[in-house]
Amino acid sequence: MNLIKVRFLKNDTPYGRAYTYIANDDFEVGDVVQINESAKGIVIEINVDESEVVGFADKLKAVIGKVVD
């Protein structure tokens, strides 16, 4: 399982805390990703250790993919 940390974007500015998501593709720090149908975020960390999510790993969601302009 490949895990990344993402911060939501509001008016193209990162805000709030970081959330961990499953990444089915390869991402780099700084990539903008589609989190769900209406929200975008920016990758702030890649290769997150699974030990950080052991208590809630079954609740993690996957990002949809990289935003392509």
Side-chain angles (χ1 to χ4, degrees):
M1 179 168 36
N2 189 18
L3 302 175
I4 59 174
K5 285 193 180 182
V6 176
R7 288 181 64 197
F8 283 85
L9 290 175
K10 185 175 191 175
N11 299 322
D12 295 325
T13 304
Y15 77 97
R17 67 187 277 291
Y19 293 91
T20 304
Y21 287 89
I22 298 169
N24 294 319
D25 297 318
D26 290 329
F27 296 106
E28 298 294 327
V29 171
D31 284 347
V32 176
V33 295
Q34 193 72 42
I35 297 171
N36 57 41
E37 289 76 25
S38 60
K40 295 178 185 174
I42 188 162
V43 177
I44 62 164
E45 185 178 337
I46 58 173
N47 302 321
V48 175
D49 193 283
E50 289 185 35
S51 66
E52 291 188 34
V53 298
V54 71
F56 54 92
D58 59 327
K59 295 181 174 89
L60 292 177
K61 297 179 182 179
V63 295
I64 295 173
K66 188 174 179 179
V67 174
V68 180
D69 288 331

